[in-house]
Amino acid sequence: VRLLAFMNGHVDPGLGAGLSVSYGMDAAGTVTVERSAFMLNTADQSSALSIQNGSLQYVVNNLFLLNEGSSRAVAYLTTSQPLGISFTNNTVLSNSHTNTGQPTVSFAAGRVFIANNNFWDNDGYDFDAGASGDRSIYNNNYQSRQMHGGEILAQNIGVIPEYEDGFLNFTPVRGSGLVDAGREPSGASALWYLTDLDLNQATRVVGAHVDIGAYENETIFADGFELPGPLGLW
């Protein structure tokens, strides 16, 4: 699922008003949700996105904005398969709950990899990586998370994002702590990837490292010497 906008979906009771994907418990298959936008969806649970089961889930380089749910305001991702879930380079902003103390994104899998995401201004916890399994949380920007113990944490930050001017433009300004603060896949067996382009159709990696979130700052020099790249929908 790529390059789509899921907006104003509604389901109650139920989950996944924007997009819902469900496999049988033992069914194999890879689910990829990439470079899409989920906005203004409402549901009883996981208003934007629900993915249940499958061999491997990739949710990469998407925008989740202004979705609302009673619990799991944005997404619930779960699978019993060993390869698990990769949630990387997403921008998750200003999502809300009608119940307090809920995670915005909730994971349940034997392997959960959460990296390079920009979580900010969400109600409740930004995410819950689950209470068991192999849970790696790297190079994210977030305000709060549900803690269970046993997670592997590295190079996460909590800075107020600053964005370039423009309607629905969530590209970090050059001096932002999000710029060049992400990480790239390493090793032949890495179960995650970077997209070639960001959500604004700009080159995904500009500078020393990928930026945190779904948008890449294209200006290498702090004084803006270089011209900006092409504009996309967002």
Side-chain angles (χ1 to χ4, degrees):
V1 179
R2 293 183 174 92
L3 301 174
L4 297 174
F6 299 89
M7 300 178 63
N8 294 307
H10 175 75
V11 58
D12 189 8
L15 66 168
L19 175 64
S20 179
V21 181
S22 181
Y23 281 75
M25 184 62 69
D26 298 320
T30 298
V31 182
T32 301
V33 180
E34 177 184 293
R35 294 180 62 212
S36 293
F38 295 80
M39 299 172 57
L40 299 169
N41 298 288
T42 60
D44 178 48
Q45 297 184 55
S46 53
S47 59
L49 175 64
S50 171
I51 307 177
Q52 299 184 64
N53 299 312
S55 305
L56 178 61
Q57 299 176 15
Y58 292 116
V59 179
V60 53
N61 222 128
N62 303 283
L63 171 66
F64 298 92
L65 178 69
L66 294 172
N67 301 283
E68 180 181 295
S70 297
S71 61
R72 302 163 180 154
V74 164
Y76 180 45
L77 309 175
T78 178
T79 181
S80 59
Q81 299 293 321
L83 297 181
I85 301 164
S86 291
F87 189 85
T88 57
N89 273 107
N90 299 287
T91 292
V92 185
L93 304 176
S94 302
N95 300 283
S96 61
H97 298 93
T98 55
N99 294 333
T100 59
Q102 296 290 325
T104 299
V105 182
S106 184
F107 304 87
R111 172 193 166 273
V112 175
F113 185 81
I114 304 169
N116 298 346
N117 301 289
N118 179 26
F119 298 92
W120 207 259
D121 198 28
N122 301 296
D123 285 351
Y125 297 105
D126 286 318
F127 61 92
D128 181 349
S132 62
D134 178 6
R135 291 153 293 149
S136 301
I137 303 170
Y138 296 148
N139 297 73
N140 301 282
N141 186 49
Y142 62 85
Q143 293 172 281
S144 64
R145 65 180 179 88
Q146 182 71 58
M147 293 183 286
H148 298 284
E151 301 94 337
I152 301 172
L153 304 170
Q155 297 181 298
N156 296 288
I157 61 175
V159 301
I160 298 173
E162 295 180 77
Y163 305 115
E164 294 184 343
D165 293 337
F167 181 64
L168 293 179
N169 185 358
F170 300 109
T171 302
V173 299
R174 189 67 212 168
S176 168
L178 305 183
V179 172
D180 293 341
R183 69 170 55 201
E184 292 74 40
S186 61
S189 61
L191 292 174
W192 67 292
Y193 65 95
L194 299 176
T195 56
D196 293 332
L197 302 175
D198 75 353
L199 199 52
N200 233 5
Q201 300 185 48
T203 301
R204 179 62 270 197
V205 182
V206 176
H209 295 287
V210 66
D211 295 352
I212 290 176
Y215 300 85
E216 189 81 9
N217 185 292
E218 296 180 88
T219 306
I220 294 177
F221 301 104
D223 62 3
F225 178 79
E226 290 201 339
L227 295 175
L231 296 178
L233 293 174
W234 305 103

